């Protein structure tokens, strides 16, 4: 009888723990998806208002500088997610070194950000020309580029603050910070661009001040009694930066993947379809940011749970969370593909205020073909986040670099030569499918090695 009672108690405890994991997963992931959609919303708002104010040329200018955004966000994500992950793992192990990572991350954000500030002061036009803009596009985009580069430390700092708040058990506030900063950006976009007539410069100012709002909201957590994050006055440590970056490299490549894709696609499209083609890709790429943000929400929402359970040595819980994350990603991927195929024309028309027929033809086909890739991208984004969160830095780097740089570039060059613009749109699904096969191998190998 005693044995039966013990078995029943143990079984009840396992069920309770499973239920707690599922509830915590649902809370973290849902709030992070909302937060990430908030980030993508202001990119769409930028695109929409710029299309109204500057037409196709404005969208082209914005699309040419998106890779710079991706690089800035990528560095911020690498330092922020990596440092917060290392903080969470060490804290779960009750290691005092956890306290060193927040201040170190902020100091390096200031150091790296200063490089972009110098570029914004002295070379914004040259940057646009280097990325493929002609004289007309460079003239439109220079004020925008100069202003947002000046606020680089805040963009990076916002990533870091948000990641630490999320990993310190406050995903609700992290979501609020993201949503309110995005709402601020959207409202100020309109106010500065239209009533005040500031055009592209107004769009840049709205975007530049939005991370400041996010950081101020995150400070509510830092100064609360619930916070376990400490500011430690120490010289910046390259060793700690490297330790953090190893775990944040997947987040870095995940962010810059869109930038690499944009650069490669822009140069190929310019030779195939000119500025109308680039403007069409601008619509596809900016819409794709929303889809990517959904899967980033699943990945970043799962990451604190992965790190905490991994740090405590709870292998079964790690596997449970991974199954939940991958299942959620696959369901969302099907929804994304269905929505973009059903509402293709309304999506394109929102950004085509000039009624440019040639651009619309390119964009309609692009949306329908490009978004097929999210059937595989969801698995890849969640998978790389998982690998980084459980200290599989090698696999995280390999899968990320293949997905974000190598596969997309190779498929874009090959398929564009074979099928023209159709090949451009198919390059993303082909690259994501290839990477998904590698991701399955990576997850199985790490899973077997750890005997979860």
């Amino acid at each position: 009888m005693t044995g039966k009672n013990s078995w029943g108690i143990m079984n009840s405890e396992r069920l309770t723990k499973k239920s707690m994991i599922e509830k915590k997963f649902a809370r973290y992931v849902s709030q992070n998806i909302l937060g990430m959609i908030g980030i993508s919303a202001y990119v769409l708002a930028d695109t929409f208002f710029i299309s109204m104010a500057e037409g196709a040329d404005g969208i082209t200018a914005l699309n040419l500088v998106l890779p710079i955004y991706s690089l800035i966000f990528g560095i911020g994500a690498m330092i922020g997610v990596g440092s917060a992950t290392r903080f969470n793992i060490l804290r779960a192990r009750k290691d005092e070194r956890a306290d060193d990572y927040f201040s170190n991350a902020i100091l390096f954000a200031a150091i790296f950000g200063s490089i972009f500030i110098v570029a914004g002061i002295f070379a914004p036009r040259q940057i646009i020309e280097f990325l493929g803009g002609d004289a007309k596009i460079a003239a439109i985009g220079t004020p925008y580029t100069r202003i947002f580069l000046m606020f680089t430390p805040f963009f990076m700092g916002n990533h870091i603050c948000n990641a630490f708040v999320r990993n310190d058990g406050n995903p609700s506030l992290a979501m609020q910070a993201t949503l309110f900063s995005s709402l601020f950006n959207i409202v100020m976009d309109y106010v500065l661009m239209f009533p005040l007539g500031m055009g592209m410069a107004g769009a840049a100012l709205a975007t530049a001040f939005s991370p400041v709002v996010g950081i101020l909201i995150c400070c509510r957590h830092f100064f609360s009694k619930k916070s376990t994050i400490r500011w430690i006055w120490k010289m910046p440590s390259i060793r700690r930066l490297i330790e953090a970056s190893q775990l944040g490299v997947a987040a870095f490549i995940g962010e810059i993947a869109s930038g690499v894709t944009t650069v490669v696609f822009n140069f190929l499209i310019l030779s195939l379809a000119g500025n109308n083609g680039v403007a069409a890709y601008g619509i596809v790429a900016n819409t794709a940011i929303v889809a990517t943000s959904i899967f980033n929400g699943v990945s970043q929402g799962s990451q604190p749970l992965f790190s905490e359970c991994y740090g405590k040595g709870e292998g079964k819980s790690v596997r449970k969370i991974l199954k939940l994350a991958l299942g959620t990603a696959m369901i969302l991927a099907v929804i994304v593909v269905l929505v973009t195929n059903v509402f293709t024309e309304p999506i394109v028309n929102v950004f085509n205020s000039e009624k440019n027929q040639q651009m619309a033809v390119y964009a309609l086909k692009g949306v329908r073909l490009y978004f097929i890739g999210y059937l595989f991208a969801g698995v890849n984004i969640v998978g790389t986040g998982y690998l980084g969160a459980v200290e599989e830095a090698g696999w995280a780097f390999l899968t990320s670099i293949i997905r974000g740089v190598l596969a997309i570039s190779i498929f874009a060059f090959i398929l564009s030569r074979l099928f023209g613009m159709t090949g451009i749109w198919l390059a993303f699904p082909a690259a994501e499918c290839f990477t998904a096969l590698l991701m399955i191998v990576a997850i199985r190998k790490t899973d077997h090695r750890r005997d979860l």
Side-chain angles (χ1 to χ4, degrees):
M1 187 72 178
T2 304
K4 288 184 178 179
N5 287 340
S6 298
W7 182 87
I9 292 170
M10 290 173 63
N11 191 48
S12 176
E13 288 176 349
R14 282 196 296 268
L15 290 173
T16 301
K17 189 172 184 178
K18 179 180 177 181
S19 176
M20 288 177 61
I21 288 173
E22 290 173 350
K23 288 180 179 178
K24 202 170 183 180
F25 174 85
R27 181 167 68 95
Y28 270 67
V29 168
S30 61
Q31 291 176 345
N32 274 278
I33 288 175
L34 286 173
M36 295 305 294
I37 289 176
I39 291 177
S40 65
Y42 79 69
V43 176
L44 285 181
D46 261 358
T47 307
F48 174 71
F49 290 131
I50 288 172
S51 72
M52 294 289 291
E54 303 288 350
D57 286 341
I59 296 178
T60 300
L62 176 64
N63 196 47
L64 288 177
V65 300
L66 279 180
I68 308 299
Y69 270 121
S70 297
L71 180 59
I72 292 169
F73 290 168
I75 295 172
M78 179 176 67
I79 298 173
V81 173
S83 298
T85 300
R86 186 68 71 183
F87 159 81
N88 207 2
I89 291 172
L90 292 174
R91 186 185 59 175
R93 295 172 179 168
K94 302 188 185 305
D95 190 322
E96 292 182 357
R97 291 178 298 166
D99 291 336
D100 296 338
Y101 284 88
F102 177 68
S103 54
N104 199 64
I106 293 294
L107 291 172
F108 272 106
I111 292 169
F112 291 136
S114 64
I115 299 172
F116 288 89
I117 290 175
V118 171
I121 294 172
F122 295 106
R125 185 183 185 93
Q126 290 84 344
I127 290 171
I128 297 174
E129 291 173 347
F130 175 76
L131 293 170
D134 56 25
K136 183 179 181 182
I137 299 300
I140 293 173
T142 294
Y144 185 94
T145 305
R146 174 179 286 115
I147 291 169
F148 83 75
L149 285 175
M150 297 290 289
F151 282 76
T152 297
F154 295 101
F155 288 117
M156 293 181 181
N158 190 35
H159 266 286
I160 294 165
C161 292
N162 204 279
F164 270 88
V165 168
R166 188 169 59 245
N167 275 269
D168 202 32
N170 201 343
S172 299
L173 187 65
M175 176 195 69
Q176 292 172 33
T178 305
L179 289 178
F180 279 109
S181 64
S182 299
L183 180 61
F184 171 88
N185 192 352
I186 292 169
V187 172
M188 294 308 295
D189 253 340
Y190 172 76
V191 171
L192 295 175
M193 291 186 73
F194 295 103
L196 296 182
M198 296 180 66
M200 293 283 284
L205 281 171
T207 300
F209 278 105
S210 63
V212 178
V213 175
I215 291 170
L216 290 175
I217 293 174
C218 286
C219 285
R220 286 173 51 197
H221 177 78
F222 298 141
F223 293 108
S224 73
K225 293 181 180 179
K226 294 180 180 179
S227 176
T228 65
I229 300 165
R230 303 286 180 265
W231 178 274
I232 306 296
W233 287 104
K234 288 185 178 180
M235 289 291 290
S237 168
I238 294 177
R239 179 181 59 80
R240 281 193 291 273
L241 175 68
I242 293 172
E243 289 175 349
S245 297
Q246 287 174 338
L247 303 186
V249 68
F252 171 74
I253 297 176
E255 289 286 349
I256 69 164
S258 60
V260 171
T261 304
T262 300
V263 170
V264 172
F265 279 30
N266 281 344
F267 280 108
L268 292 174
I269 291 171
L270 280 170
S271 64
L272 292 170
N275 283 346
N276 279 332
V278 173
Y281 177 56
I283 294 173
V284 175
N286 282 288
T287 307
I289 288 174
V290 179
T292 301
S293 72
I294 293 172
F295 300 108
N296 281 336
V298 178
S299 179
Q300 293 187 21
S302 306
Q303 175 266 311
L305 306 180
F306 283 134
S307 299
E308 182 180 358
C309 293
Y310 170 75
K312 293 178 179 178
E314 298 175 353
K316 290 183 179 179
S317 296
V318 173
R319 173 175 279 177
K320 174 64 178 176
I321 296 163
L322 179 59
K323 288 180 179 179
L324 288 171
L326 290 175
T328 302
M330 286 187 281
I331 292 170
L332 292 172
V334 172
I335 295 172
V336 165
V337 173
L338 288 175
V339 168
T340 51
N341 272 271
V342 172
F343 298 102
T344 312
E345 289 193 18
I347 289 170
V348 173
N349 289 338
V350 165
F351 303 106
N352 190 16
S353 61
E354 293 182 324
K355 307 298 181 185
N356 186 322
Q357 290 301 314
Q358 187 60 63
M359 182 182 73
V361 170
Y362 288 136
L364 287 168
K365 191 172 186 178
V367 170
R368 294 189 177 105
L369 294 177
Y370 189 94
F371 278 79
I372 294 171
Y374 283 100
L375 294 173
F376 312 103
V379 172
N380 295 332
I381 293 170
V382 169
T384 52
Y386 156 76
L387 292 170
V390 297
E391 296 189 298
E392 291 289 348
W395 275 111
F397 175 77
L398 179 63
T399 52
S400 297
I401 201 72
I402 288 175
R403 172 183 178 257
V405 179
L406 298 179
I408 190 66
S409 300
I410 292 170
F411 279 111
F413 279 109
I414 294 173
L415 295 178
S416 66
R417 294 294 182 268
L418 294 175
F419 307 111
M421 284 295 291
T422 299
I424 291 287
W425 306 132
L426 289 173
F428 176 69
E432 293 293 344
C433 180
F434 177 82
T435 308
L437 297 175
L438 177 63
M439 184 61 66
I440 292 170
V441 173
I443 290 173
R444 284 183 175 177
K445 280 187 174 294
T446 56
D447 186 59
H448 176 72
R449 181 166 64 247
R450 205 177 283 107
D451 194 26
L452 294 176

